[in-house]
Amino acid sequence: MSAAGGPRALSPPDIGARKGKTPLVCLTAYTTPVAKLVDEHCDVVLVGDSVGMVLHGMSSTVGVTLEMMILHGKAVRRGLQSAVMVVDMPFGSYEESPAQAFRNAALVMTETGAAAVKLEGGESVAETIRFLTARGIPVMGHVGLTPQAVNAFGGYHIQGRGEDAERILRDAMAVAEAGAFAVVLEKIPEALARLITQEIAIPAIGIGASPACDGQVLVVDDMLGLFGTFRPKFVKRYAELADAANAAIAAYAYDVRERRFPAADHVFSDEPSTVSGGEDT
């Protein structure tokens, strides 16, 4: 129980202790209303730099700024009670040095109330992960397809096929050994994801990876079907909200043009209503 008497929120050590147990449920969130919805069902809520593409119309995550992540992190924090909130460190905010990473990660955590940050990369960021965790900043890793390196990869291509599998395995091992409490495996072959999950001591959270992973994460807008044409192979659509929203907006536009809205129920009279159940003030 918390000091306020409510249920205790999960922590990064709680997530780390879930290795090999009930799979972890993770989704992204960028706003307070969505955070409230996912909090009830998720163990981890990721304020992903995917916000740049999902909400801001960017072509990649490379242009996302620290200020954007802090803004959306604050919004998500207001909607959470129990899930662990992890905030992505955006491109350019941690690669220069461990000291730079600490300054920016500390800023993110103090400004947003995040429980942890997420860094992309494997062996190249292991020293930084070690530096951060030694100074009280929990870190989630991210290997495989790392979207911030899209320009180096030449696109959002699957990683770890053939001889490249050894590189991804080394990256995951390096992240785990450096002290990360969990690691995201993105868009790698299923057999490789299964092997990594077996080999590392921390939870592996898959996205386009394997059902054998210790958990799964998706972009919430993808799984809700809020995009009409964007359909990655690794996403299961649990709803088609774009279609429902389009139909609702079309119905509203029709009613306005036909003067069917607002109707009598939606306007105010000269005298307060005595009918209960509705606002009339």
Side-chain angles (χ1 to χ4, degrees), residues 4-55:
R8 184 180 73 85
L10 292 171
S11 68
D14 293 328
I15 302 304
R18 290 275 291 273
K19 177 69 180 179
K21 298 179 181 179
T22 303
L24 293 158
V25 179
C26 316
L27 282 171
T28 63
Y30 317 110
T31 64
T32 303
V34 172
K36 290 179 178 179
L37 290 173
V38 301
D39 184 56
E40 181 180 355
H41 307 284
C42 291
D43 305 297
V44 177
V45 173
L46 175 64
V47 186
D49 59 358
S50 49
V51 67
M53 303 171 76
V54 175
L55 295 189

Side-chain angles (χ1 to χ4, degrees), residues 113-203:
V117 297
K118 181 166 74 64
L119 274 59
E120 293 186 7
E123 291 181 314
S124 63
V125 297
E127 179 186 357
T128 297
I129 293 173
R130 191 171 289 109
F131 189 90
L132 295 181
T133 56
R135 288 157 179 80
I137 296 181
V139 176
M140 177 181 284
H142 186 151
V143 304
L145 173 62
T146 47
Q148 292 174 12
V150 63
N151 292 320
F153 290 150
Y156 297 95
H157 308 303
I158 188 169
Q159 302 294 305
R161 280 181 169 153
E163 295 180 357
D164 191 42
E166 183 61 31
R167 173 181 66 88
I168 306 299
L169 177 58
R170 289 198 312 269
D171 280 344
M173 296 290 289
V175 164
E177 292 168 0
F181 69 90
V183 60
V184 172
L185 309 180
E186 181 168 356
K187 205 168 183 181
I188 63 175
E190 194 278 333
L192 175 59
R194 186 179 294 269
L195 173 64
I196 291 173
T197 302
Q198 293 170 351
E199 292 293 320
I200 62 175
I202 61 174

Side-chain angles (χ1 to χ4, degrees), residues 22-274:
T22 303
L24 293 158
V25 179
C26 316
L27 282 171
T28 63
Y30 317 110
T31 64
T32 303
V34 172
K36 290 179 178 179
L37 290 173
V38 301
D39 184 56
E40 181 180 355
H41 307 284
C42 291
D43 305 297
V44 177
V45 173
L46 175 64
V47 186
D49 59 358
S50 49
V51 67
M53 303 171 76
V54 175
L55 295 189
H56 294 275
M58 295 179 173
S59 60
S60 76
T61 63
V62 175
V64 173
T65 65
L66 202 61
E67 291 74 19
M68 290 169 65
M69 297 309 304
I70 290 172
L71 176 68
H72 289 283
K74 287 179 176 179
V76 171
R77 178 67 265 171
R78 297 182 192 110
L80 299 182
Q81 291 187 350
S82 60
V84 173
M85 185 173 93
V86 180
V87 176
D88 266 344
M89 295 298 293
F91 178 72
S93 68
Y94 61 92
E95 295 91 343
E96 181 180 331
S97 68
Q100 179 212 27
F102 178 80
R103 286 193 301 273
N104 289 329
L107 179 65
V108 166
M109 292 186 70
T110 56
E111 289 288 321
T112 68
V117 297
K118 181 166 74 64
L119 274 59
E120 293 186 7
E123 291 181 314
S124 63
V125 297
E127 179 186 357
T128 297
I129 293 173
R130 191 171 289 109
F131 189 90
L132 295 181
T133 56
R135 288 157 179 80
I137 296 181
V139 176
M140 177 181 284
H142 186 151
V143 304
L145 173 62
T146 47
Q148 292 174 12
V150 63
N151 292 320
F153 290 150
Y156 297 95
H157 308 303
I158 188 169
Q159 302 294 305
R161 280 181 169 153
E163 295 180 357
D164 191 42
E166 183 61 31
R167 173 181 66 88
I168 306 299
L169 177 58
R170 289 198 312 269
D171 280 344
M173 296 290 289
V175 164
E177 292 168 0
F181 69 90
V183 60
V184 172
L185 309 180
E186 181 168 356
K187 205 168 183 181
I188 63 175
E190 194 278 333
L192 175 59
R194 186 179 294 269
L195 173 64
I196 291 173
T197 302
Q198 293 170 351
E199 292 293 320
I200 62 175
I202 61 174
I205 300 173
I207 176 168
S210 170
C213 289
D214 300 293
Q216 303 293 330
V217 62
L218 285 176
V219 171
V220 68
D221 297 67
D222 289 346
M223 56 84 67
L224 290 177
L226 285 168
F227 291 108
T229 58
F230 184 62
R231 294 176 178 267
K233 175 181 173 66
F234 56 80
V235 173
K236 178 178 178 179
R237 292 283 189 103
Y238 286 83
E240 293 293 346
L241 297 191
D243 292 344
N246 184 65
I249 294 166
Y252 164 73
Y254 176 83
D255 283 354
V256 169
R257 292 183 178 119
E258 295 296 316
R259 299 190 183 277
R260 296 173 57 177
F261 175 83
D265 290 345
H266 309 121
V267 296
F268 300 97
S269 65
D270 290 335
E271 299 294 330
S273 173
T274 58

